[in-house]
Amino acid sequence: AQKVTQAQTEISVVEKEDVTLDCVYETRDTTYYLFWYKQPPSGELVFLIRRNSFDEQNEISGRYSWNFQKSTSSFNFTITASQVVDSAVYFCALSEKTGANSKLTFGKGITLSVRP
Amino acid sequence: DVKVTQSSRYLVKRTGEKVFLECVQDMDHENMFWYRQDPGLGLRLIYFSYDVKMKEKGDIPEGYSVSREKKERFSLILESASTNQTSMYLCASSSTWGRRVWFFGPGTRLTVL
């Protein structure tokens, strides 16, 4: 069965600090997809990134970067120069199948607080 | 813009009542999902549907049922609400084909008294 572990539950940083959110996953499939979602205080989950298991290239999008390492089954998310608007709950998620009836399994989330 | 809407943001019901949570998506997605979110537990899958009139149990289906009569609409039903069903309920949809991303609605915060 697929499983996602986000060991950190709450992180508090001061604005402009860099912060890394950890994600470790378990799966028996060779084809799978990893996701990060952001849930701001308004409550709606916002899609940030999707990565397939064949693409281990790191990705950078502005202040956000993601490090995917199959060898350690990790998909970590780094925010550089954090801002107050980054305060949210961040979820890592895993989907094993690619066709119909594919499910998305979430970690328990990390609450990030960025203080001015 | 893609859109998943849920019928209510906040809902208060009494124990034993029958509760309907409605979700509509306008993206012509084949798949729809119901999750509940509780502090410290993250999001847990209740039911999902990959086609009209099809449904599959998720990880915590007990106490819930679903209905999908039309492609764009997926309803979650609490036959007899109980206090332990007080939670945030999130609906999502995704396409079977192409770049598969789950899109979420704004959530319904249900309180059962």
Side-chain angles (χ1 to χ4, degrees), chain A residues 33 35 37 39 42-45 47 49-50 89 91 95 97-109, chain B residues 9 31 33 35 37 40-43 45 48 50 56-57 59 88 90 96 98-106:
Chain A
Y33 297 84
F35 301 76
Y37 282 84
Q39 187 178 41
S42 60
E44 190 162 343
L45 268 78
F47 166 75
I49 190 171
R50 172 188 185 263
V89 182
F91 290 97
S95 171
K97 298 178 183 176
T98 57
N101 76 7
S102 171
K103 299 188 295 182
L104 190 62
T105 298
F106 286 84
K108 293 184 178 180
Chain B
R9 287 302 302 268
N31 311 295
F33 307 81
Y35 290 86
Q37 182 179 6
L41 297 178
L43 277 76
L45 182 63
F48 65 104
Y50 55 89
E56 293 274 346
K57 291 180 180 179
D59 301 316
M88 170 71 91
L90 291 160
T96 298
R99 183 172 173 79
R100 188 141 186 209
V101 173
W102 274 249
F103 294 94
F104 283 83

Side-chain angles (χ1 to χ4, degrees), chain B residues 6 21 35-36 46 64 76 85 87-90 107-108 110:
Chain B
Q6 296 183 229
L21 301 183
Y35 290 86
R36 66 177 279 177
I46 305 171
Y64 303 95
L76 180 69
Q85 293 178 309
S87 186
M88 170 71 91
Y89 290 88
L90 291 160
T108 295
L110 172 67

Side-chain angles (χ1 to χ4, degrees), chain A residues 26-39:
Chain A
E26 294 176 29
T27 178
R28 294 178 185 170
D29 282 10
T30 55
T31 301
Y32 53 90
Y33 297 84
L34 294 162
F35 301 76
W36 276 94
Y37 282 84
K38 173 183 180 180
Q39 187 178 41

